[in-house]
Amino acid sequence: MKKKGKAASSLLVGLGLLVMLGACSSKTTGGGATTAEGNKPAAKEGNVAAASDWAEKNGLNKTETTDELYAKAKGEGKVVVYSQSSRIKDVKATFEAKYPGVKVEAFNMSTNDIVEKVIREQGAGIYNADVIFVKDAIGAVTTELTTKKLVHKYIPKDLSDKMVEPYKSKSSGLVPYFSLRAIFYNTDVYKTSPITNWWDLTQPEWKGKVLLNDPIDSADMMDLFLAMVQHSDEMKQAYKDKFGKDIVLNGTENAAYEFIKQFLKNDPVLMKSSDEVVEAVGVSTQGKPPIGIGASSKLRDVIEKKLSIAATYDVKPKISVVGPSYLYVADKAPNVNAAKLMIRYMAGEADGKADGFKPFNVMGSWSTRIDNGRTDQPAIDKLSVWDYDSDYFYKNFVKFREFWLKMQ
């Protein structure tokens, strides 16, 4: 395995800090208890109940019109957004133009940094954020924020009526879209994808020719490998589909860990970002380009950067695991009406046409609504993907991390 650039291991450091912060917050003399699992401290029941009361009192279970919310939001004057996407700057510009009198204070951070910041601030009694825009990051958001009511669901009915399951009624927050970790190939050299089975990447012809983000630094990449481990029976069948025989494990626990072991022996190149991955794959002057595994939403760069790339949507046993992006109202949000207005705006509003969704409605991202998705990529119900299991990922990321590091 080759590494390009200096590994920061910020994901591991950050998750370790989250565990520490959670453990500190769970120490109590009567209102709460610590669970048997060392990395899942229980929240104080009284605090959770109070947070739930706050959410109900502030109408997070109601559907209000945009005009009603705007009238109240103007009295608040601003909305503070912690965002995992730099595209929030585009949302800020159009939101302020549409809703004069409501300023947007947008902070672009990693999901890991957002989780840490929310825990620290609310633990100190500071309630600064209104909207939290994140991915789940190995289940950390669900475990450390959602379950403990540091953030709240807000999915008004006139939006949910347009959404597909599980996002319509079974999601912890409003998911306007999801993306994937996709396999990219160079379209100047390959007319169709040369990869049709994940086990292809363990073969000699791809030795040193597969680029990806290091999962130790990328929660999305780790989520993909964790999904493989969770569905190791499917990885086992994919091996048989590829080689025509049953897999023989070589000191590993299951077919997914065997895949990871063989994949690492094939010297993949670890890059610092998905931007680097897709650019290296898509430069059209290459004679024998590599294969890349990166964020599917980077397909939006194809025209702008003149990249000759495409993503493959026919891979056994599954393309990938879904990576939902969540919108939440922060607990005790000081500008709660502006927060609700912003979430509606970023979700496309009732008609699906609001400019707040446009920066995210790009190639390689899939709307969770039936009325505003793209038609130039596979439909959401045609994607062969694994569901996101935050509980499983959170409980198993340490085990995977130790295996990955051991194999290096």
Side-chain angles (χ1 to χ4, degrees):
M1 181 172 55
K2 306 170 186 176
K3 291 190 177 183
K4 181 178 180 181
K6 186 177 181 180
S9 297
S10 57
L11 176 61
L12 297 186
V13 173
L15 286 173
L17 179 58
L18 292 181
V19 171
M20 179 185 72
L21 288 170
C24 291
S25 67
S26 70
K27 293 179 181 178
T28 178
T29 57
T34 304
T35 61
E37 294 176 86
N39 65 339
K40 289 188 71 176
K44 294 182 181 181
E45 294 179 4
N47 290 349
V48 171
S52 297
D53 289 344
W54 178 88
E56 183 174 355
K57 181 179 178 180
N58 284 275
L60 299 190
N61 58 346
K62 296 180 179 179
T63 298
E64 299 156 282
T65 68
T66 300
D67 289 342
E68 290 172 332
L69 290 173
Y70 180 36
K72 297 175 184 178
K74 282 190 290 187
E76 296 167 341
K78 70 175 182 178
V79 59
V80 179
V81 183
Y82 292 175
S83 170
Q84 51 89 17
S85 172
S86 61
R87 286 172 279 174
I88 193 65
K89 65 181 184 297
D90 300 317
V91 176
K92 169 182 166 65
T94 59
F95 182 91
E96 290 181 344
K98 184 175 179 62
Y99 299 111
V102 184
K103 294 295 182 182
V104 178
E105 294 182 8
F107 298 87
N108 177 215
M109 300 174 279
S110 69
T111 288
N112 181 64
D113 288 339
I114 292 172
V115 174
E116 178 189 337
K117 186 173 177 65
V118 170
I119 291 174
R120 283 192 180 279
E121 287 182 343
Q122 294 194 17
I126 299 169
Y127 297 91
N128 181 60
D130 298 308
V131 175
I132 305 297
F133 181 38
V134 288
K135 287 191 173 182
D136 206 351
I138 320 174
V141 170
T142 295
T143 306
E144 301 296 342
L145 298 188
T146 310
T147 303
K148 298 176 183 178
K149 302 297 183 182
L150 276 65
V151 297
H152 302 284
K153 177 193 295 189
Y154 173 65
I155 310 181
K157 189 174 185 301
D158 59 348
L159 300 188
S160 66
D161 283 347
K162 307 290 181 61
M163 300 175 76
V164 299
E165 293 291 6
Y167 311 104
K168 180 184 180 74
S169 64
K170 301 174 184 177
S171 178
S172 64
L174 195 154
V175 177
Y177 70 94
F178 67 76
S179 55
L180 311 168
R181 286 281 140 165
I183 295 176
F184 292 101
Y185 62 96
N186 186 293
T187 53
D188 283 346
V189 176
Y190 305 105
K191 299 308 177 187
T192 60
S193 175
I195 306 299
T196 58
N197 188 311
W198 280 102
W199 287 96
D200 291 341
L201 302 181
T202 66
Q203 296 304 287
E205 61 264 36
W206 298 111
K207 188 175 182 65
K209 300 288 287 183
V210 181
L211 315 179
L212 71 155
N213 305 140
D214 189 340
I216 300 302
D217 295 317
S218 168
D220 289 339
M221 197 68 241
M222 188 179 285
D223 285 341
L224 172 57
F225 285 120
L226 284 167
M228 291 180 180
V229 172
Q230 184 179 17
H231 299 278
S232 59
D233 55 334
E234 295 180 43
M235 293 298 291
K236 180 180 179 180
Q237 182 59 48
Y239 180 93
K240 189 169 186 178
D241 292 340
K242 168 69 179 176
F243 300 108
K245 59 183 180 180
D246 290 330
I247 191 171
V248 176
L249 303 181
N250 184 19
T252 54
E253 180 179 332
N254 55 47
Y257 276 119
E258 184 65 29
F259 165 77
I260 295 165
K261 180 179 180 179
Q262 293 188 27
F263 176 62
L264 289 176
K265 283 186 175 180
N266 218 27
D267 292 333
V269 181
L270 302 184
M271 313 286 280
K272 290 188 292 184
S273 69
S274 282
D275 291 296
E276 290 185 349
V277 170
V278 298
E279 287 175 16
V281 172
V283 176
S284 60
T285 57
Q286 297 181 86
K288 190 175 181 182
I291 292 296
I293 306 172
S296 58
S297 59
K298 294 302 177 182
L299 285 170
R300 68 182 185 270
D301 295 336
V302 170
I303 296 176
E304 180 182 343
K305 296 183 179 180
K306 299 180 180 179
L307 300 176
S308 300
I309 59 170
T312 178
Y313 298 115
D314 185 15
V315 186
K316 290 185 177 180
K318 292 286 192 294
I319 302 167
S320 189
V321 61
V322 295
S325 290
Y326 295 86
L327 287 163
Y328 296 103
V329 175
D331 188 38
K332 296 181 178 61
N335 308 296
V336 65
N337 294 293
K340 289 188 278 186
L341 187 66
M342 173 60 81
I343 288 176
R344 292 182 63 92
Y345 186 67
M346 292 179 68
E349 262 298 347
D351 62 2
K353 298 178 181 179
D355 287 342
F357 182 60
K358 289 182 180 179
F360 310 105
N361 195 17
V362 298
M363 283 285 290
S365 291
W366 283 265
S367 171
T368 60
R369 297 173 56 145
I370 60 175
D371 61 345
N372 67 352
R374 301 182 67 91
T375 59
D376 53 356
Q377 60 186 5
I380 189 172
D381 59 348
K382 301 299 182 182
L383 292 172
S384 178
V385 290
W386 288 301
D387 291 333
Y388 194 94
D389 190 332
S390 58
D391 187 56
Y392 181 89
F393 294 171
Y394 192 82
K395 289 179 178 177
N396 288 276
F397 83 84
V398 172
K399 181 179 179 180
F400 167 81
R401 174 197 67 190
E402 292 174 349
F403 180 84
W404 181 272
L405 295 174
K406 182 180 177 181
M407 291 295 105
Q408 294 186 23

